[in-house]
Amino acid sequence: MTETETNAYDVVVLGAGPVGENVADRTRAAGLTTAVVESELVGGECSYWACMPSKALLRPVIARADARRVPGLSQAVQGPLDAAAVLAHRDYYTSNWTDDGQVGWLDSIGADLHRGHGRLTGPRTVTVTGPDGAERVLTARHAVAVCTGSRAALPPLPGLDAVQPWTSREATSAKTVPGRLIVVGGGVVATEMATVWQALGSRVTLLVRGKGLLPRMEPFAGELIAEALTEAGADVRTGTSVESVTRENGTVVAVTDGGDRIEADEILFATGRAPRTDDIGLETIGLDPGSWLTVDDSLRVTGHDWLYAVGDVNHRALLTHQGKYQARIAGAAIAARATGEDLAAQPWGAHAATADHAAVPQVVFTDPEAAAVGLSLAEAEQAGHRVKAVDVDLSSVAGAGLYADGYRGRARMVVDVEDEILRGVTLVGPGVGELIHSATIAVAGQVPIGRLWHAVPSYPTISEVWLRLLEAYRDS
């Protein structure tokens, strides 16, 4: 019998996605020895099955859509996309699902990579079962950071496994274009993947249980995207649930609650996420396997002064960039506690992930794009803020007209009328994804309305919408 190997570190990071990588980067920068455990590919979901492949697929779709709205160019881009070239472009950005480059980066910062399945086996202890079955025990002097992310959650439909449905992973890594595709869901994954596969030649049917798309954004965002998907040829059905799914002779058959029978070659369920915490040994430290982990603003798990949960697993904001932000905060907090430094845990302090509550930005890369930061009008009102929403038609801005003929879009600014700061901003329209960071700075920085008048937008850009929003607020 082989003796189990034991290794001691200052910090053990469970999961080598972008979140785990950033925790390791910060703890190593502070001089703490750090081990990183990964059971799949270093780089995680974002690099291989989410952000990078999905945006690589979407970029040609959006570029063509924009070009079709530009005089002198529109006639040259009326043909179909080269699907094979688009998929090859996607493969390039996933490094063909190899992680050599990411492993090299971990090496460069001096973190030790342990490949295999890691499970907590007690306080400050992680046991890694390698691909060869050998076990290694990693102990942490200061902290264990759980950065295992989330997975697609499938609904409890009888026989669904036998149908072999797509989740976000299959939707972003498929090697061929299905002739017909059913997409179940109305959130970000559903709308982006409906946009991609419709543009690549699939006949897409989008089944949305709720009243509209993108329910966490202002209602007009989902409305404009639903209109655009319909114009592109997709069949968008809201208020529709799937009652059963079967696969008959290779064809997927979905039956809705209204009795409609829809046939397709593939079906994608984009119906939410679940934490990847079901088999990481939470029961050994008194926590429930498969649960989201509750943390404070330094990302430390409630009741465990050595355990951190960073990224999707804490359910605060399931976005890669927000998880990386949390990782920077958590890494700094771990280092501060390890060295006895006083924590700057006040709101907006160096060791507090305050933006999770007040200034989370997001871009949905559909056509048109939707981008938002902070609170929607409804969220701000529910939080008890006295607010006023002001809206501007983006087509009224000179830069929008130059960007595209027939530009359609809308902007909303949610203003706290007592403090005269912004609580939230939502933008919908072509190209707005590159505008959202200015809104993020205004919301996170709590920049007063009076000072925003002095932030002069360049003419003629779409950013001039800021001036129009301020004028609308002044005149309201």
Side-chain angles (χ1 to χ4, degrees):
M1 181 178 294
T2 303
E3 185 176 346
T4 301
E5 181 184 349
T6 301
N7 297 273
Y9 292 91
D10 292 324
V11 180
V12 176
V13 179
L14 200 53
V19 174
E21 289 176 323
N22 274 266
V23 172
D25 184 49
R26 293 296 84 213
T27 57
R28 284 297 301 129
L32 301 179
T33 59
T34 302
V36 180
V37 181
E38 178 54 55
S39 60
E40 292 187 288
L41 296 173
V42 175
E45 198 81 8
C46 174
S47 297
Y48 306 103
W49 300 288
C51 314
M52 296 306 291
S54 67
K55 303 318 169 274
L57 290 168
L58 282 157
R59 179 59 195 146
V61 175
I62 303 307
R64 182 182 67 164
D66 283 346
R68 284 178 168 179
R69 302 183 185 107
V70 178
L73 179 60
S74 59
Q75 291 303 312
V77 290
Q78 290 302 315
L81 290 167
D82 182 339
V86 172
L87 297 179
H89 176 67
R90 180 270 321 270
D91 294 350
Y92 171 80
Y93 272 94
T94 61
S95 300
N96 287 290
W97 291 274
T98 61
D99 62 1
D100 296 352
Q102 305 259 20
V103 171
W105 180 83
L106 274 183
D107 288 343
S108 75
I109 66 168
D112 289 351
L113 173 63
H114 295 266
R115 288 196 184 271
H117 181 69
R119 298 185 84 255
L120 291 158
T121 47
R124 303 174 192 268
T125 305
V126 173
T127 298
V128 182
T129 303
D132 59 358
E135 288 190 347
R136 284 156 288 163
V137 176
L138 311 180
T139 60
R141 298 181 190 93
H142 298 293
V144 174
V146 176
C147 308
T148 49
S150 64
R151 57 176 173 79
L154 291 171
L157 289 174
L160 185 58
D161 286 347
V163 175
Q164 296 182 303
W166 280 8
T167 65
S168 52
R169 283 198 168 196
E170 290 77 20
T172 55
S173 63
K175 298 298 186 183
T176 58
V177 179
R180 300 163 297 173
L181 174 65
I182 298 169
V183 179
V184 183
V188 177
V189 172
T191 52
E192 287 189 347
M193 291 300 98
T195 300
V196 164
W197 293 109
Q198 177 69 38
L200 289 177
S202 293
R203 294 204 307 273
V204 171
T205 302
L206 184 58
L207 304 179
V208 186
R209 184 172 59 183
K211 294 186 293 184
L213 305 181
L214 303 177
R216 296 188 177 183
M217 285 190 171
E218 300 283 9
F220 63 80
E223 291 165 5
L224 285 167
I225 291 168
E227 288 175 13
L229 280 169
T230 301
E231 290 173 5
D235 181 1
V236 180
R237 307 185 191 186
T238 57
T240 302
S241 296
V242 176
E243 294 292 307
S244 68
V245 182
T246 56
R247 191 180 283 271
E248 304 169 6
N249 298 319
T251 298
V252 174
V253 179
V255 178
T256 71
D257 54 351
D260 292 333
R261 175 185 168 97
I262 305 168
E263 295 186 354
D265 299 289
E266 301 292 350
I267 184 167
L268 162 62
F269 280 91
T271 50
R273 308 289 295 179
R276 295 180 60 141
T277 60
D278 51 316
D279 190 23
I280 62 168
L282 292 182
E283 68 280 0
T284 68
I285 56 170
L287 296 173
D288 294 330
S291 64
W292 303 102
L293 298 176
T294 303
V295 297
D296 63 19
D297 274 0
S298 71
L299 292 311
R300 188 164 62 173
V301 175
T302 303
H304 297 76
D305 63 3
W306 54 273
L307 185 65
Y308 292 73
V310 193
D312 283 12
V313 289
N314 61 41
H315 208 229
R316 286 162 68 109
L318 277 65
L319 296 159
T320 294
H321 51 270
Q322 209 68 20
K324 291 165 68 174
Y325 159 74
Q326 292 177 11
R328 296 189 292 272
I329 299 290
I334 290 168
R337 288 182 171 122
T339 58
E341 177 188 338
D342 290 338
L343 243 65
Q346 74 278 10
W348 306 110
H351 305 119
T354 312
D356 286 352
H357 311 296
V360 175
Q362 182 173 22
V363 178
V364 184
F365 294 86
T366 46
D367 176 35
E369 291 177 344
V373 62
L375 304 179
S376 67
L377 175 60
E379 289 170 338
E381 290 174 340
Q382 289 165 9
H385 300 297
R386 286 189 58 229
V387 292
K388 177 184 291 185
V390 291
D391 292 5
V392 167
D393 183 342
L394 267 169
S395 68
S396 67
V397 178
L402 291 166
Y403 190 95
D405 271 6
Y407 190 105
R408 284 184 292 176
R410 185 171 169 184
R412 169 170 289 181
M413 183 171 73
V414 178
V415 183
D416 187 310
V417 297
E418 293 183 341
D419 297 332
E420 290 236 307
I421 59 173
L422 304 189
R423 293 292 179 185
V425 176
T426 299
L427 303 158
V428 184
V432 299
E434 295 299 336
L435 273 66
I436 198 60
H437 193 58
S438 57
T440 303
I441 292 169
V443 173
Q446 298 180 332
V447 182
I449 287 286
R451 177 59 63 88
L452 284 175
W453 279 100
H454 297 280
V456 182
S458 298
Y459 181 85
T461 65
I462 304 175
S463 291
E464 201 178 15
V465 69
W466 279 105
L467 179 56
R468 302 285 90 84
L469 286 165
L470 291 170
E471 290 169 341
Y473 179 68
R474 178 197 61 194
D475 297 338
S476 63

